[in-house]
């Protein structure tokens, strides 16, 4: 039996009919047509489906959609600015070649966002720890860690410029 639930996705309120057993990823991809989060393992092991719920990274392939009721969900689509500019973390992944096939990238970037929101200037170890649940078959992780450290620099620079302009 379907149920109607309400939550916020990328700042927009949504109301959607769901089967109670559906995971959040299914609703994002199939009902809301937000296909940035990827279906990799489907078992909570690879991180390709990572999105933020109330600011925390979760594996949306195993996160029951009913638990999202009333919460704020942020997906990779929500990082692009209203002027269609890439988020500094996305730009950093391009600058430092943190993207190859791209399958892991949305999940990596969302995990990186959760880290940088909490810890704006992480060490390499802290980056590796935060991304430990996100698997990449292509890059060997070095470029991804560099991307996240570069993202931290870009965000700190932006914050200083904004502060200076106030
Ligand atoms: S697809 Fe969700 S953790 Fe792998
Ligand atoms: S870039 Fe291909 S899996 Fe990470």
């Amino acid at each position: 039996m379907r149920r109607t639930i309400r939550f916020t996705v990328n700042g927009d309120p949504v109301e959607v009919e769901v089967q109670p057993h559906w995971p959040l990823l299914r609703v994002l991809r199939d009902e809301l047509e937000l296909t940035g989060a990827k279906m990799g393992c489907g078992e909570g092991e690879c991180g390709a489906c990572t999105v933020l719920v109330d600011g925390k990274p979760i594996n949306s392939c195993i996160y029951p959609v009913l638990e999202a009721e009333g919460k704020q969900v942020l997906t990779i689509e929500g990082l692009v600015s209203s002027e269609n500019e890439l988020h500094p973390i996305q730009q950093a992944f391009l600058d430092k070649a943190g993207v190859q096939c791209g399958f892991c990238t949305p999940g990596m970037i969302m995990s990186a966002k959760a880290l940088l929101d909490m810890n704006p200037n992480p060490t390499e170890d802290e980056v590796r720890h935060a991304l430990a649940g996100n698997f990449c078959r292509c890059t060997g992780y070095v470029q991804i860690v560099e991307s996240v450290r570069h993202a931290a620099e870009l965000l700190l620079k932006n914050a200083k410029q904004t502060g200076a302009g106030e």
Side-chain angles (χ1 to χ4, degrees):
M1 196 174 61
R2 292 197 171 216
R3 271 187 53 184
T4 302
I5 68 162
R6 293 170 193 81
F7 53 99
T8 302
V9 181
N10 302 332
D12 295 326
V14 297
E15 181 178 296
V16 58
E17 276 197 11
V18 301
Q19 295 280 3
H21 64 276
W22 283 353
L24 177 60
L25 181 63
R26 167 164 184 171
V27 175
L28 293 173
R29 291 182 58 86
D30 297 347
E31 308 297 312
L32 301 175
E33 298 182 357
L34 293 168
T35 55
K38 299 290 179 269
M39 169 61 94
C41 65
E43 297 177 353
E45 298 289 339
C46 75
C49 62
T50 304
V51 300
L52 306 192
V53 175
D54 285 349
K56 297 203 171 64
I58 56 98
N59 290 322
S60 63
C61 68
I62 55 168
Y63 186 91
V65 69
L66 293 186
E67 285 197 25
E69 175 97 54
K71 294 185 177 160
Q72 305 214 17
V73 177
L74 184 68
T75 73
I76 189 80
E77 288 90 346
L79 293 194
V80 176
S81 75
S82 50
E83 289 84 36
N84 238 5
E85 285 173 3
L86 292 179
H87 187 281
I89 304 176
Q90 294 172 306
Q91 188 60 52
F93 271 68
L94 288 180
D95 292 348
K96 295 293 178 183
V99 181
Q100 287 188 24
C101 82
F103 192 80
C104 71
T105 310
M108 287 285 181
I109 288 178
M110 297 315 290
S111 290
K113 167 131 179 62
L115 168 67
L116 296 173
D117 284 348
M118 298 281 296
N119 178 357
N121 195 12
T123 63
E124 179 177 338
D125 279 354
E126 287 168 336
V127 173
R128 287 184 180 275
H129 185 259
L131 299 183
N134 292 83
F135 297 169
C136 177
R137 290 174 178 228
C138 306
T139 65
Y141 300 98
V142 172
Q143 297 98 314
I144 288 176
V145 173
E146 282 177 5
S147 299
V148 178
R149 302 254 288 153
H150 181 50
E153 288 167 6
L154 293 180
L155 287 163
L156 287 169
K157 197 166 131 199
N158 286 359
K160 269 191 200 147
Q161 281 171 352
T162 310
E166 283 170 0

